Amino acid sequence: MKILIVDDSDFSRNTMRRFFADMTEVQIAEAANGIEALEQHRTFQPDVIFLDVTMPYLDGAATLRILRKIDSQVLIIMATALAGQQYLCNEFIALGIDGLLMKPITRDVALNAFLSAIRAKREVTP
Amino acid sequence: MRKIPVSDLQAGMIPAQTIYDSKGTILIARGISLTQSYINRLRKFSIREVLITSNDEEKQFASIFSPMAEKAASHAQNLISELSTHRTVNIEKTSFKIEQVIYAALERAPLQPYLEMMSQNELLYTHSLRTAILSVNLGLAKGYDYLNLDFLATCALLHDCGMGDIFCEDDNTHAFEGFIKIRNNTSLEMLTALVCLQHHERFDGQGTPLGFYKYQITEFSRLIAVADYYERLVSLQNNTPRQAVFKLAAGGGTMFDPDMVKLFETTLAG
């Protein structure tokens, strides 16, 4: 299982990486903005993407649009820090996200979102 | 190949490598035949020696890139002269730097198949080169360093590579097709693909294909959109350069990033 963590904050990426540290079957890659995320999507070909909303150069909302246009299979879990961004939720859901996390994210919340997204996908595609 | 001191250089010799100044700006691109003014320029920048191609075989190998890039480079040179006769965009002072940046971009190996494809379609070919020239001119006005200019030129050259056999800017699918085409080529950067995708997006979010708005559109895409639109108005829709400038200014804030329109206005002559 390949996970891509997209966040412009080193701290957030490291924290998220630690959540999955004891899962030996998981490979992790990181990206600091939307353009890097698209690059990693092309080369690393992740199964799950944790995508932050506010980022420089290309933000999470724009990255999500592009990713969904080119790949309907990859699981995308959005992570947002600002409660004010909740208005974006409808747009995200319409575009087809597989989970939504409010920061700060705890280990339990991250793992739950990750596992439910995978489970939901397995139920749809046996 | 042999090293020759700058004092012994003669017009007509061909450098085997691109020569940069200490800031990374290209002084002379590899494969460009030296002229007396180029030699004076090298002296001015205190360059001591230049690696020169020595025989025909090496010349062929080291001189101008591929035949395709050579053709594009000479076409670009004509287009720069032609643009300077319009006397609308102030291009005379920057023409040397523009030439060097465009030549260096044309030299990139991953671009060669695209140049070949575009050269089959005269309108697309000329439009892409002209857009690249105008974009680099804007990039110089914005104060980009050489690396960014090189990148910008590559993006501008390829921005319409999703176009099929028929050149039609109203065809809404070419932006996405171009994106996919470049994305599938791992030797090209993702930003180039993104510029392809976003060059018909509008600043107010009413553009195509995905309706991005404001700063969701990358800076290069916002800059190239301005150069692309001006170029289309003048060469494809038969507007005079003056009419094109007015139309472009009217689109600031809706179609285009107002800062990019202001930047374009700073490059106007007079």
Side-chain angles (χ1 to χ4, degrees), chain B residues 84-122:
Chain B
S84 62
T85 60
H86 286 183
R87 300 199 179 282
T88 310
V89 178
N90 198 354
I91 216 164
E92 274 165 13
K93 279 185 189 165
T94 48
S95 62
F96 181 80
K97 278 190 179 171
I98 297 175
E99 265 178 38
Q100 301 298 320
V101 170
I102 301 270
Y103 289 173
L106 289 171
E107 204 177 0
R108 297 181 68 185
L111 249 70
Q112 304 313 312
Y114 295 93
L115 289 176
E116 190 162 354
M117 183 271 290
M118 288 195 291
S119 69
Q120 310 294 319
N121 184 334
E122 186 60 33

Side-chain angles (χ1 to χ4, degrees), chain B residues 1-4 14-17 19 49-53:
Chain B
M1 267 179 275
R2 60 208 158 104
K3 269 190 182 174
I4 293 192
I14 295 177
Q17 58 185 175
I19 304 159
E49 289 177 326
V50 177
L51 200 59
I52 292 289
T53 54

